Amino acid sequence: MLDKLTQAVDFQGKALVLRAERQRTIASNIANADTPGYAGRDFRFNDALRDATGAAAGGSAGTSRLRLAEPQSGGSATSTGRTEPGFIPLTTSLAGSGPRMDYTVQTQPSMDGNSVDMDRERAAFADNSVRYEATLRFINGSAKTILSAIQGQ
């Protein structure tokens, strides 16, 4: 019975972890806005949440407004994320493979090759912050509901 109570919170918990990961990714893009040649990264949240929860695909096609480019398969990156044998591989904060990271599509070309659009990143950061807070409040509300049900109030 306790597992059924936690299943309702489990979905929101996975969404919260993905929101935190997206926030970290956007913050990394903002931090590298002046780095020459930096390519902005992001992931499709709907696809990542679907993969995390094991939900079936379909029904939400076309809901993602984020334009992302596929990583170039012709590059020399290995399956561990290394581009050169001596480089230290990137690690993710999520357990397991984490969301599939793609490159953001450059809307305004820059002379230094940086693809970060600060207006888009700020808007995405604010949007993700609001959604993170909403998810956190939903989890707190669910925990309070479960607690009051246990206490018999």
Side-chain angles (χ1 to χ4, degrees):
M1 179 166 156
L2 188 59
D3 61 333
K4 291 183 180 179
L5 292 174
T6 58
Q7 282 178 349
V9 181
D10 187 46
F11 175 80
Q12 295 296 329
K14 289 178 180 174
L16 189 68
V17 169
L18 286 172
R19 289 277 171 217
E21 181 67 20
R22 183 142 195 256
Q23 201 75 354
R24 186 184 70 78
T25 303
I26 294 170
S28 176
N29 288 343
I30 291 172
N32 288 297
D34 293 330
T35 303
Y38 180 80
R41 306 291 307 258
D42 206 346
F43 61 91
R44 291 180 173 86
F45 184 81
N46 292 342
D47 295 342
L49 185 60
R50 189 178 308 119
D51 291 343
T53 59
S60 63
T63 58
S64 177
R65 293 173 287 165
L66 185 63
R67 292 181 53 208
L68 298 174
E70 301 283 331
Q72 295 180 354
S73 60
S76 60
T78 64
S79 62
T80 60
R82 293 181 185 186
T83 54
E84 295 290 330
F87 288 0
I88 298 171
L90 297 175
T91 59
T92 61
S93 61
L94 290 175
S97 62
R100 184 172 155 255
M101 301 296 287
D102 293 325
Y103 294 102
T104 56
V105 174
Q106 190 173 14
T107 56
Q108 294 179 337
S110 64
M111 294 295 288
D112 61 357
N114 189 313
S115 69
V116 176
D117 182 2
M118 282 300 291
D119 292 334
R120 182 178 58 197
E121 297 297 331
R122 283 189 199 112
F125 192 87
D127 179 67
N128 197 55
S129 297
V130 169
R131 292 175 190 264
Y132 181 89
E133 180 72 23
T135 304
L136 196 58
R137 287 179 186 240
F138 186 83
I139 291 172
N140 285 338
S142 296
K144 286 179 183 175
T145 302
I146 291 170
L147 185 61
S148 64
I150 291 172
Q151 292 175 342
Q153 296 177 353

